[in-house]
Amino acid sequence: MPGIGRQSLKPSKRWLQSWLLLLSVAVNCWSANTFASVDDSSVFDIDAGQLSTALIEFSRQSGLYIVFSDKLTRHLQVDAVVGKQTNKSALEKLLNRSGLDWEAMDDHIIAVFEASCADNSSNPQDCPDSSATLANYPLYTPGIEETYIYGNRTTGSRIRRSDYLGAAPVEVISAPDIESSGAQTLGEILKFVPAVAGNAISTAISNGGDGTATVTLRGLPASNTLVLINGRRVANDGLAGEAVDLNSIPPAAVERIEILKDGASAVYGSDAIAGVVNVIMKRDFRGFLAETFYGEASRGDLKTQTHTVQYGTALPNGSFFVSASAYDQDPIYSRDRSVSRSADTRLRGGTDQRSSATSASRVVLSDGSTLIATNSGYRAATDEDLFNYQAFTSAVVPLDRSSIYSNSSYDINEQITVAIDASYVKTESKATLAPTPVFTGFEQEPIPIDASNRYNNFGETLLDVRRRLVEFPVRTQRNESEVTRFAASIEGLFDDWNWDLAYNWSRSEADETLTSIVNADRLRQALGPASNCQGADIDGCVPVNLLGTPSSITHDQVDFIRTKGDVSGYSTLSSLSASASNAVLSLPYGRGNLAFGFEYRNEATSKRPDQLIANTGTIGGNNFELTRGDRDIIEFFSEVNLPAWRSSTTSLGLDVEAALRYSDYSDFGNNTSPKLGLVFRVGNAVLLRTTYARGFRAPSLNELYAGVTEDQSFISDPCTVAQNVGVLPGCVVQADPTRNQFLTEKGGNSGLDAEQSESYGAGIVWTPTAAGGLTLTADLFQIEQTDVVSSSAQFIVSQNARSGAFADHVQRDPAGNLVLITANNINVGRRKVRGADFTARYIVPDSRWGKFILASSVTYIDEYLARLDASSQEIDFAGTFRDEASEGLGGIPQWKGQANLRWIRKRWQAGYEIHFVDAMEELQPGTNIKKEIDSWAVHDLQASYNFDLLRGLRWTLGIDNLMDTSAPLAVSAFNDNIDGRSHELRGRYWYTKLSQRF
């Protein structure tokens, strides 16, 4: 298998050494635990927002337990509380002007209640007073050492909790983080997350993209990362997609993004092998907001506008929120950046990847000679007679998005609440591609130019003619989608049981139109025997001059063979779920938690090509057959969180988290996924955690039921390298080195099994009390996958050349050129990814200079072992780049990180952020030479000011890539000579935003 990187080694001691190092740090940080009191001081960093959320953060940051009613607090907003102060002072600031009061029930438990509780309550006994005891308060249970805290559901658990400090690491991108990034799409927000690597799709990918955006945790395919909205599944991209389109989620309505960086099939089912991205939408917004955003690149392109209005209000027994936004992004063309201007990168140390389908006809005669058409006849072709397709292509695709999102809630009574979410998003993108290439000898059904064709003066039938149809209008790929989502839930409390019942429905409809492509049937007739094409006035056929210079194809000829291809499709998901949770009482070491439930889900998809595409009748686009499939899934799950041990003399404690899910699929079988986590607490300063999980990914409906798909895949053929001829068993003669696209057929396989995985994690969270607001984390991770679904034409070609394998899947002509590769889906792959995540956050105590928050996160990939067949050798792709267009894994940098500094002082706010991507190694096309892609770092700056002129008026100015650092050259990258998934082409980019809130 051709590849780059270190060869597989036997497991070393580095993994164990790393864990022992973390353990030694924990031991050195051993500290005694002391319960906090209201008079103690803490360093607070509580953002402005919903009071209930702020109270939970207060509990976490102060170390005090707090009990309150969500009904009393969820409609109230609070200002930020920042800096070192007493717990009492911070709590009083949060409750100021709220109509609520508080009382300490004992040394470390606080109850929050209505200030006029005794006057308004039908039962004054429910109101705590100075003589109240735990038994008197309705949320307390006598004899229990710790009070149950009714928190929120956090990503990775069905059990409500008050913080993210569980057995598995969860990264939170908060509303202030989203605001300070300046990003206008979720793809932009997630692109620089250190745990994201590999082949994520976005509008920065033109050729090979479809206007959608995906996320790829740990460098695994997007289908291995589960994307949720408010903790619930939604339909994948409408064109039989295998992942959720992030462009169908408007960032303006997003409250925060929670990223679980651990396997979670036991909690959520299929697809959560690499982790989970849970997008939490805004709910308790109060007031009216109008906001407008404008930005553009320093070269004057990529002009972007976003306009947003939002309104939220509290109702007598509920709430209502609605958000509407319109987004418009202009393109960047490849020709407008120096690194992407030409597919010939030899002057930069790369190779010439221009196409042999040239604007003047390139003709291969039967004697093997190759000629190029000129105005005076023909001449011998040279190595410079190639076509620069990047002079025509868009690099960043223009995108329009219109969206509306709303949610509402209603309290039926004190115990039952109903909530409804609904959204509609419409997107439209249009990629510009180079004029259609024609390779007459390498189509599914060859298109020879007959000797009797009126334009053929060579006296022989021409089998291999290559021509770029520059006479056609520009080739465009237009993608449109409409995504509708609806969710309704009812939840409540019955006899100390929290329960919920939910219905969830979503549908993604998509259409794709590719213009200025060729009707292969008509071209075959126009180039065939003259007797079959007499002229437009006789039989409607117009002979085509494919053998001339640019403009030799007339308007009549263009009209006869030019066509467009239309594809439409949809994906739907509907589910009904129920769950219940309760505290587990009378345990030796305190209170535990239990949750269980079931889910029924139906998934369906369809991808419908027009008749011409379905009959493999086009050139310039992908031809494929109908894809259609659906299935039913029934799942049962349970989860517990139990205190396993507490020291009676020291501040040590061990908690156990366990989950189990059984899934039964109507189309491939069933699966059981367990997960076990341990949390070891050493005082208030140190937390050790570890997890083990087994996961699975059900084969997608597209992988199971896709019809035969035909396309021109980018493949590196070992037989085009002269040194391999006669050396590799499959390379008898040298193939044409000017070709890099080859006809490939792929298709579904209804006999696929699920991909299986095992994941391991171990980490430490350190919050040293002496350092104030400092939090440090380090987490090791390892994911092993088996039965990976693979459909790699590159692998098949490489194995065929090196060993003669897959002889029935590879067809070559007598000259050694690839004619057809057949690569259907099979369960043959294996992967193993291992590395570590590091985070640091420090809150500088408030001073006259303002508030400072420093945060950073780094991911290290120690190894990324992959093989596509049990007989092949594992190759370590960590620190390498292999283009997705050539069926590679994309960019897998060993180190990727970001750091940001936020400053807040009175009316001013500012942020400074650095993004870093490590150097990577690539294989120069057509050679065995390894080259290095340089490391890349960009600096972003933002500042905003709140005016006195109108209360709530804010002006923001930001500059991304302040130093105008160019994306590093990647000579093996098909799109724009860069790794557009890891780096950015746009260069310096400035933006401004004006918002008014009432």
Side-chain angles (χ1 to χ4, degrees):
M1 174 180 179
I4 49 180
R6 305 187 303 277
Q7 299 297 317
S8 174
L9 301 174
K10 293 182 179 180
S12 67
K13 297 181 180 179
R14 285 178 295 173
W15 192 252
L16 178 61
Q17 290 171 344
S18 299
W19 172 238
L20 290 176
L21 176 62
L22 292 179
L23 186 60
S24 67
V25 171
V27 173
N28 290 333
C29 299
W30 200 284
S31 63
N33 178 37
T34 57
F35 287 114
S37 72
V38 294
D39 295 321
D40 290 340
S41 294
S42 304
V43 178
F44 291 98
D45 177 28
I46 303 175
D47 290 320
Q50 185 184 353
L51 176 57
S52 57
T53 301
L55 288 174
I56 291 174
E57 278 299 303
F58 169 83
S59 173
R60 185 179 68 83
Q61 296 177 25
S62 67
L64 294 168
Y65 295 139
I66 191 164
V67 181
F68 61 90
S69 167
D70 182 60
K71 182 178 179 181
L72 293 178
T73 61
R74 68 182 177 194
H75 304 318
L76 300 175
Q77 300 290 307
V78 295
D79 295 329
V81 174
V82 178
K84 187 173 183 179
Q85 53 195 288
T86 65
N87 296 331
K88 177 179 179 180
S89 174
L91 182 59
E92 289 179 345
K93 287 180 181 179
L94 291 176
L95 298 181
N96 186 31
R97 300 188 306 273
S98 67
L100 302 177
D101 204 348
W102 65 276
E103 182 149 349
M105 306 305 296
D106 67 4
D107 289 341
H108 57 279
I109 300 175
I110 291 173
V112 174
F113 50 87
E114 286 184 286
S116 55
C117 178
D119 296 332
N120 297 334
S121 175
S122 60
N123 183 10
Q125 297 296 322
D126 289 343
C127 301
D129 55 32
S130 58
S131 62
T133 66
L134 296 184
N136 292 27
Y137 200 71
L139 291 181
Y140 299 148
T141 302
I144 301 299
E145 294 180 0
E146 295 188 19
T147 301
Y148 177 72
I149 301 175
Y150 185 78
N152 295 318
R153 282 201 179 100
T154 59
T155 303
S157 176
R158 298 280 180 176
I159 294 173
R160 294 176 179 268
R161 58 196 314 152
S162 61
D163 57 38
Y164 296 94
L165 296 180
V170 178
E171 179 176 348
V172 181
I173 303 176
S174 65
D177 295 329
I178 296 174
E179 177 80 13
S180 64
S181 73
Q184 299 300 295
T185 67
L186 259 65
E188 291 179 70
I189 295 171
L190 296 172
K191 179 172 184 173
F192 288 118
V193 171
V196 174
N199 283 327
I201 293 293
S202 72
T203 56
I205 305 301
S206 183
N207 198 335
D210 56 6
T212 65
T214 59
V215 59
T216 51
L217 292 175
R218 307 304 188 201
L220 299 179
S223 58
N224 287 249
T225 298
L226 179 62
V227 175
L228 306 172
I229 297 181
N230 292 333
R232 304 190 187 279
R233 288 177 177 262
V234 292
N236 290 341
D237 168 44
L239 289 179
E242 297 176 5
V244 174
D245 176 16
L246 297 178
N247 284 336
S248 67
I249 307 173
V254 174
E255 174 65 28
R256 66 186 183 276
I257 302 171
E258 298 177 352
I259 304 174
L260 174 67
K261 295 180 287 188
D262 193 36
S265 290
V267 179
Y268 296 108
S270 175
D271 305 341
I273 287 178
V276 177
V277 174
N278 189 9
V279 183
I280 309 299
M281 309 300 283
K282 291 181 180 178
R283 178 183 176 188
D284 291 297
F285 182 91
R286 297 295 175 264
F288 176 82
L289 172 71
E291 184 174 88
T292 184
F293 171 99
Y294 178 83
E296 68 175 57
S298 59
R299 276 82 169 172
D301 49 17
L302 199 62
K303 296 176 180 177
T304 305
Q305 299 182 61
T306 307
H307 307 288
T308 302
V309 292
Q310 295 181 341
Y311 174 73
T313 185
L315 303 175
N317 290 294
S319 64
F320 173 76
F321 169 70
V322 61
S323 173
S325 65
Y327 168 83
D328 178 34
Q329 172 188 272
D330 285 350
I332 293 178
Y333 289 97
S334 304
R335 59 181 176 267
D336 292 332
R337 297 294 187 274
S338 58
V339 69
S340 58
R341 189 166 295 145
S342 175
D344 182 3
T345 58
R346 288 174 295 178
L347 294 178
R348 294 172 173 264
T351 57
D352 191 353
Q353 295 198 78
R354 293 176 296 170
S355 172
S356 61
T358 50
S359 55
S361 183
R362 183 186 184 99
V363 182
V364 180
L365 300 178
S366 58
D367 62 4
S369 59
T370 303
L371 305 177
I372 289 287
T374 68
N375 291 329
S376 58
Y378 292 87
R379 61 170 174 80
T382 71
D383 291 342
E384 297 302 316
D385 289 315
L386 298 171
F387 181 81
N388 179 32
Y389 50 84
Q390 287 181 193
F392 297 83
T393 58
S394 55
V396 177
V397 178
L399 177 69
D400 292 332
R401 180 188 66 224
S402 301
S403 67
I404 184 167
Y405 169 81
S406 71
N407 62 56
S408 58
S409 65
Y410 179 74
D411 297 327
I412 296 177
N413 54 40
E414 293 289 336
Q415 286 79 35
I416 300 176
T417 299
V418 176
I420 294 176
D421 286 32
S423 67
Y424 172 80
V425 181
K426 181 176 182 179
T427 63
E428 180 180 339
S429 66
K430 187 174 74 171
T432 303
L433 308 176
T436 297
V438 174
F439 298 86
T440 63
F442 302 98
E443 301 299 333
Q444 172 74 311
E445 184 178 341
I447 308 176
I449 302 180
D450 193 80
S452 65
N453 182 277
R454 73 170 63 176
Y455 299 109
N456 184 352
N457 298 320
F458 290 95
E460 62 178 83
T461 297
L462 302 174
L463 301 179
D464 184 357
V465 176
R466 306 175 193 182
R467 179 75 148 78
R468 186 71 59 161
L469 303 182
V470 294
E471 295 88 350
F472 277 33
V474 64
R475 186 168 44 143
T476 62
Q477 177 182 307
R478 181 184 296 274
N479 289 89
E480 297 179 344
S481 74
E482 294 184 52
V483 180
T484 307
R485 301 186 180 105
F486 173 82
S489 64
I490 178 170
E491 60 180 308
L493 183 67
F494 176 75
D495 195 22
D496 294 332
W497 282 90
N498 294 300
W499 59 268
D500 67 83
L501 180 67
Y503 172 74
N504 185 35
W505 176 87
S506 58
R507 181 181 177 93
S508 175
E509 298 185 51
D511 296 280
E512 181 175 287
T513 300
L514 189 59
T515 66
S516 296
I517 58 178
V518 175
N519 184 320
D521 298 329
R522 287 194 172 188
L523 181 62
R524 187 171 291 107
Q525 181 184 7
L527 298 179
S531 59
N532 293 340
C533 186
Q534 299 296 314
D537 296 334
I538 301 175
D539 62 359
C541 177
V542 178
V544 173
N545 182 9
L546 206 64
L547 297 172
T549 57
S551 76
S552 66
I553 302 177
T554 66
H555 292 298
D556 290 343
Q557 295 173 21
V558 168
D559 291 342
F560 179 66
I561 63 173
R562 183 168 65 97
T563 188
K564 64 184 180 75
D566 292 305
V567 182
S568 61
Y570 68 83
S571 291
T572 63
L573 182 147
S574 58
S575 67
L576 181 66
S577 62
S579 66
S581 62
N582 198 354
V584 181
L585 306 178
S586 303
L587 296 177
Y589 297 105
R591 181 190 299 258
N593 294 281
L594 166 70
F596 61 87
F598 85 92
E599 180 176 358
Y600 164 78
R601 190 165 71 250
N602 175 265
E603 299 173 354
T605 192
S606 175
K607 187 177 180 181
R608 305 177 299 273
D610 62 28
Q611 186 174 0
L612 198 60
I613 292 177
N615 293 331
T616 64
T618 67
I619 300 173
N622 293 341
N623 294 309
F624 56 89
E625 299 172 348
L626 172 70
T627 297
R628 177 177 291 146
D630 68 276
R631 62 185 172 202
D632 297 313
I633 304 106
I634 297 177
E635 298 183 303
F636 298 91
F637 59 87
S638 61
E639 185 177 353
V640 294
N641 186 343
L642 303 175
W645 174 74
R646 294 286 188 274
S647 171
S648 59
T649 58
T650 63
S651 56
L652 305 180
L654 177 67
D655 292 340
V656 176
E657 299 178 6
L660 184 71
R661 176 177 286 251
Y662 171 80
S663 305
D664 185 38
Y665 282 70
S666 63
D667 55 356
F668 84 90
N670 56 63
N671 188 86
T672 301
S673 298
K675 184 171 185 176
L676 177 66
L678 300 176
V679 178
F680 184 58
R681 299 179 185 273
V682 185
N684 291 327
V686 178
L687 179 148
L688 302 176
R689 57 191 179 191
T690 184
T691 61
Y692 165 78
R694 282 190 3 221
F696 80 107
R697 186 184 76 85
S700 71
L701 294 174
N702 187 50
E703 289 170 334
L704 290 167
Y705 307 117
V708 175
T709 300
E710 173 196 294
D711 66 3
Q712 292 285 341
S713 298
F714 285 85
I715 295 173
S716 177
D717 181 8
C719 297
T720 61
V721 181
Q723 301 94 303
N724 293 336
V725 177
V727 177
L728 299 182
C731 298
V732 180
V733 296
Q734 184 180 4
D736 184 355
T738 65
R739 291 189 62 211
N740 56 12
Q741 284 182 272
F742 303 94
L743 183 63
T744 303
E745 283 187 350
K746 299 180 180 180
N749 179 357
S750 59
L752 291 174
D753 292 326
E755 298 178 351
Q756 302 292 333
S757 72
E758 290 188 332
S759 61
Y760 309 84
I764 180 172
V765 181
W766 182 31
T767 54
T769 54
L774 177 64
T775 301
L776 301 173
T777 72
D779 290 279
L780 307 175
F781 65 86
Q782 178 173 297
I783 304 170
E784 297 184 41
Q785 276 185 284
T786 57
D787 294 329
V788 173
V789 176
S790 176
S791 174
S792 174
Q794 176 67 71
F795 172 75
I796 288 173
V797 168
S798 299
Q799 291 297 307
N800 177 258
R802 283 167 166 73
S803 66
F806 299 104
D808 55 341
H809 291 71
V810 178
Q811 297 180 28
R812 295 182 183 270
D813 64 16
N817 295 313
L818 287 170
V819 175
L820 176 65
I821 306 105
T822 304
N824 290 333
N825 294 323
I826 49 177
N827 290 104
V828 294
R830 294 177 65 90
R831 297 191 191 102
K832 181 179 179 182
V833 185
R834 187 168 67 179
D837 296 314
F838 306 94
T839 69
R841 180 179 174 88
Y842 183 57
I843 305 169
V844 180
D846 207 356
S847 68
R848 64 190 184 95
W849 301 106
K851 167 189 175 183
F852 293 89
I853 303 172
L854 177 64
S856 66
S857 59
V858 176
T859 292
Y860 171 70
I861 303 293
D862 179 58
E863 64 180 8
Y864 191 124
L865 300 176
R867 67 182 183 189
L868 295 173
D869 182 78
S871 62
S872 64
Q873 186 180 28
E874 284 186 333
I875 294 180
D876 187 359
F877 289 96
T880 71
F881 168 76
R882 185 169 175 181
D883 199 354
E884 189 272 342
S886 300
E887 300 180 339
L889 299 170
I892 312 291
Q894 283 207 291
W895 291 96
K896 183 178 179 182
Q898 61 182 2
N900 66 77
L901 175 65
R902 289 172 53 200
W903 169 70
I904 303 170
R905 185 176 185 272
K906 296 181 179 178
R907 300 182 182 277
W908 285 97
Q909 293 188 35
Y912 172 66
E913 194 160 15
I914 302 174
H915 307 287
F916 173 78
V917 179
D918 197 12
M920 294 179 283
E921 197 172 66
E922 63 176 338
L923 193 65
Q924 184 167 306
T927 73
N928 295 318
I929 300 173
K930 296 178 181 178
K931 297 185 70 67
E932 184 174 88
I933 301 172
D934 293 337
S935 62
W936 189 66
V938 294
H939 305 257
D940 300 341
L941 189 64
Q942 185 193 86
S944 63
Y945 183 77
N946 294 292
F947 287 91
D948 271 336
L949 179 63
L950 294 170
R951 185 178 180 182
L953 178 66
R954 173 184 287 188
W955 178 59
T956 301
L957 180 65
I959 302 177
D960 291 344
N961 195 352
L962 182 65
M963 308 301 181
D964 199 21
T965 305
S966 299
L969 175 69
V971 299
S972 62
F974 172 67
N975 277 291
D976 306 309
N977 309 322
I978 69 166
D979 176 8
R981 297 167 171 85
S982 301
H983 310 124
E984 287 185 329
L985 189 67
R986 65 182 182 178
R988 184 183 293 117
Y989 181 86
W990 69 271
Y991 61 89
T992 185
K993 181 165 57 176
L994 191 66
S995 61
Q996 174 66 61
R997 182 166 181 173
F998 300 97

